[in-house]
Amino acid sequence: MPLHNESPARFLASTDRAVVTRAYHDDRPLLARQRLYDHQRPRYDLPGMVLDQVGDREGVWLDVGCGNGKYLHRIRAERPQARAVGLDLSTTMLTTPVRPAVCADAARLPVHTGSVQVVLGMHMLYHLADPDQALAGMARVLEPEGVLVVSTNARSDKAELDGWWARAAADVLGTAVGPRRVKLSASFPAEEAADRVATHFAEVKEIDLDGTIEVDTPAPILKHYASYRAWSHQVHVPFEQTLSRVEHLLRQELEDGPLRITTHQKMVIAHHSRPTQTLAEGSGG
Ligand SMILES: C[S@@+](CC[C@H](N)C(=O)[O-])C[C@H]1O[C@@H](n2cnc3c(N)ncnc32)[C@H](O)[C@@H]1O
C-alpha cells in the first residue's frame, strides 16, 4: 500500500468524472465545506467581491461549476440587468433555485464564441482534467472586453487539517507517518492560478484571501473531512476509522484551547481576453 511518496498524478484523481459526479450528487458535502468558512476571520464576502470586481455589466454572466448557486443568487439579486446563467456537470446540483442553468462539462462549453460578458470559475477548475484547456474555452466564449473571475485554494491552505488527518491515519495504520488527505485544489493551486490564467487573458490581477478559522467544537471540522467521502478510496487508509480517530485527536487538542486553521486562497480577475484571431482558434467547446 503506497503511503507517503504520493506522485503528483495521485492528486489528479480529484478530476475523475465519475467520482466528481458522485461527490456533487447533492449539495450536502459542498455545504459542509462552505459552512466551515462561517468561522473564518476575516470573513470574505466572495459573491460581493465578485460583484465589485465585475461592476454593473449587462449581458450574460456564465457561472461555470455553479454548484448550489452561492454566486448566482447574489448576481440575480444585485445585478438584475445581467442574465445570470449557471452551468454544472451535476444535474442534481441544478435544482430550482439555481435555474436557469445548463448541465454541461466545463471542458466543452456549449456556448457561442464571444457571446458572454462575464465568466466565473469559482473553486472548480481543479476538477478539470486539463484546467488550462478549460481556461482556453472560457476565453473563447468571452467577448474581447469580457471579465473572467476564478478562485482556488493554495497548497498551504488548511495545513492544520492535513496534519490532523495524517496523525490520525498514522494511528489507524500503526505507522510513524500517515498518508495525506485528498486536496481537491492540488491540480490548480492558487500559487499558479494567475500565471495559468495569463496564458489566455491579459491584465490579470490576484487578490489574496488569507484568514483563520477558529472553532471550539470538532463538529464543523469533522463534517468538512467527511465531505471528502466520495474520494475515500484514494486516501489509502480506512476512511471512517480515520474520521473517528481525528475526532479523538481534536477533542484532545481542544483541552488546550480553540482549534485554529489557517486559510490561503486567491481570487484571480482577468479583464480582457486575448485578441480575436486567437479566440477563433479556441479549442474549448
Ligand atoms: C467546489 S464546487 C464549487 C461550487 C461554486 N462554484 C462555489 O464556489 O460555491 C465545484 C463545482 O464544480 C462542478 N464541476 C466539477 N467538474 C465540472 C465540470 N467538468 N464541468 C462543470 N462543472 C463541474 C461540481 O459539480 C461542483 O458543483
Side-chain angles (χ1 to χ4, degrees):
M1 178 184 286
L3 285 185
H4 325 304
N5 297 323
E6 301 102 325
S7 69
R10 180 181 154 206
F11 290 117
L12 296 180
S14 69
T15 66
D16 182 321
R17 253 184 93 133
V19 181
V20 169
T21 307
R22 198 162 66 240
Y24 295 103
H25 179 258
D26 65 61
D27 75 346
R28 281 172 295 181
L30 176 58
L31 268 176
R33 292 202 289 278
Q34 290 171 336
R35 285 188 178 140
L36 190 58
Y37 291 94
D38 292 347
H39 307 275
Q40 187 189 36
R41 297 290 177 273
R43 287 292 296 276
Y44 293 104
D45 172 15
L46 296 182
M49 290 174 70
V50 167
L51 294 175
D52 286 348
Q53 292 298 324
V54 173
D56 55 3
R57 284 163 189 262
E58 298 186 347
V60 177
W61 294 35
L62 182 66
D63 184 359
V64 180
C66 62
N68 53 3
K70 173 172 148 183
Y71 294 87
L72 285 176
H73 295 316
R74 285 286 289 282
I75 298 166
R76 287 176 184 154
E78 296 184 30
R79 294 292 186 275
Q81 83 287 355
R83 186 157 170 250
V85 178
L87 182 147
D88 204 284
L89 194 58
S90 161
T91 44
T92 42
M93 273 290 173
L94 303 178
T95 53
T96 309
V98 175
R99 291 177 195 159
V102 181
C103 182
D105 190 338
R108 301 183 58 80
L109 293 175
V111 179
H112 288 299
T113 298
S115 64
V116 171
Q117 283 63 50
V118 178
V119 173
L120 307 184
M122 309 304 286
H123 279 82
M124 62 77 56
L125 277 165
Y126 45 71
H127 284 310
L128 277 292
D130 186 347
D132 303 292
Q133 183 239 338
L135 281 166
M138 291 171 172
R140 179 187 67 77
V141 303
L142 261 186
E143 66 170 13
E145 300 301 308
V147 181
L148 172 88
V149 186
V150 303
S151 60
T152 188
N153 299 336
R155 290 192 185 90
S156 56
D157 182 57
K158 303 189 203 72
E160 294 81 1
L161 290 188
D162 304 347
W164 291 323
W165 182 268
R167 271 171 59 198
D171 289 350
V172 167
L173 295 171
T175 52
V177 186
R180 287 193 276 179
R181 71 190 184 104
V182 169
K183 284 191 101 159
L184 297 184
S185 49
S187 65
F188 188 72
E191 292 87 345
E192 297 174 7
D195 283 347
R196 290 168 75 170
V197 168
T199 309
H200 306 281
F201 296 83
E203 289 189 36
V204 177
K205 72 168 178 180
E206 58 182 18
I207 300 175
D208 288 325
L209 305 164
D210 295 337
T212 306
I213 291 169
E214 188 173 301
V215 292
D216 55 13
T217 157
I221 298 178
L222 293 172
K223 285 181 184 159
H224 186 280
Y225 281 126
S227 77
Y228 289 86
R229 194 169 269 114
W231 284 277
S232 60
H233 59 291
Q234 292 172 19
V235 294
H236 304 286
V237 61
F239 189 78
E240 305 303 332
Q241 254 178 280
T242 309
L243 268 184
S244 301
R245 186 65 195 167
V246 169
E247 177 170 6
H248 176 78
L249 293 179
L250 293 180
R251 291 197 185 282
Q252 280 183 339
E253 294 271 335
L254 271 169
E255 289 170 13
D256 297 328
L259 301 166
R260 286 198 186 83
I261 301 165
T262 48
T263 54
H264 302 285
Q265 308 178 323
K266 282 185 199 285
M267 183 181 286
V268 176
I269 303 109
H271 275 265
H272 299 275
S273 56
R274 293 172 73 201
T276 315
Q277 72 267 22
T278 309
L279 289 175
E281 293 159 6
S283 59

